[in-house]
Amino acid sequence: MLNVLDVLSLPLFKDFRLATDNSGLYNEISDAKLYEDTSEASIPDLYKKGVFVILSPSILRAHPQNSHSIMMAILDRQPAAICIKDVQFDSLPNDLIERANAVHVPIFFFSEPYLDEILYKLKNALTPHEINSINMNRMSRILHEGLPR
């Protein structure tokens, strides 16, 4: 399974800056999603435990008054990690950092690359694990049940 530390070892993520403690660096990543919605109501449906969340700076820019509550709502879903492009801001309020540390969710800031590059790289990194898992299940079934006729 892919974890946050594995992702950080990829060249694309070399300049990511950790804003929280390092307690969540071994969180397993189940999916990667770009958060572009302006509604907190969409968070429970879209974000499950283990999702690597990429926050769109346009959301934070368009709704600065909601930024704090959006971040808290995402943290409640126990994502694997959150990354924020440092266009809008490059620091977090202490209560957000404390909450992220308490639930072991690392939050990163980055300047480069583009959001879609991050999403693409994460999805690609996750895909081989899914394919391998499917193939391992097939091989196990063949070994234990025999070849299909």
Side-chain angles (χ1 to χ4, degrees), residues 35-38 54-71 74 82-89 92 109:
Y35 183 73
E36 297 182 292
D37 199 338
T38 59
I54 306 158
L55 283 180
S56 169
S58 61
I59 292 302
L60 302 176
R61 216 178 5 254
H63 302 281
Q65 69 281 6
N66 294 343
S67 298
H68 189 274
S69 58
I70 287 170
M71 290 283 293
I74 292 172
I82 299 171
C83 64
I84 306 166
K85 192 156 181 114
D86 60 7
V87 173
Q88 182 64 21
F89 51 87
L92 296 171
F109 285 103

Side-chain angles (χ1 to χ4, degrees), residues 46-114:
L46 295 176
Y47 299 97
K48 307 291 185 229
K49 182 176 181 174
V51 173
F52 193 104
V53 177
I54 306 158
L55 283 180
S56 169
S58 61
I59 292 302
L60 302 176
R61 216 178 5 254
H63 302 281
Q65 69 281 6
N66 294 343
S67 298
H68 189 274
S69 58
I70 287 170
M71 290 283 293
M72 285 295 200
I74 292 172
L75 284 170
D76 288 342
R77 303 303 299 166
Q78 296 181 303
I82 299 171
C83 64
I84 306 166
K85 192 156 181 114
D86 60 7
V87 173
Q88 182 64 21
F89 51 87
D90 61 0
S91 64
L92 296 171
N94 285 338
D95 65 323
L96 272 174
I97 292 172
E98 289 171 9
R99 176 73 177 136
N101 290 339
V103 296
H104 309 293
V105 175
I107 300 176
F108 299 94
F109 285 103
F110 66 98
S111 299
E112 296 291 329
Y114 293 111

Side-chain angles (χ1 to χ4, degrees), residues 7-20:
V7 166
L8 293 177
S9 70
L10 299 172
L12 186 70
F13 299 88
K14 67 180 171 52
D15 293 326
F16 275 43
R17 300 174 311 279
L18 187 61
T20 55

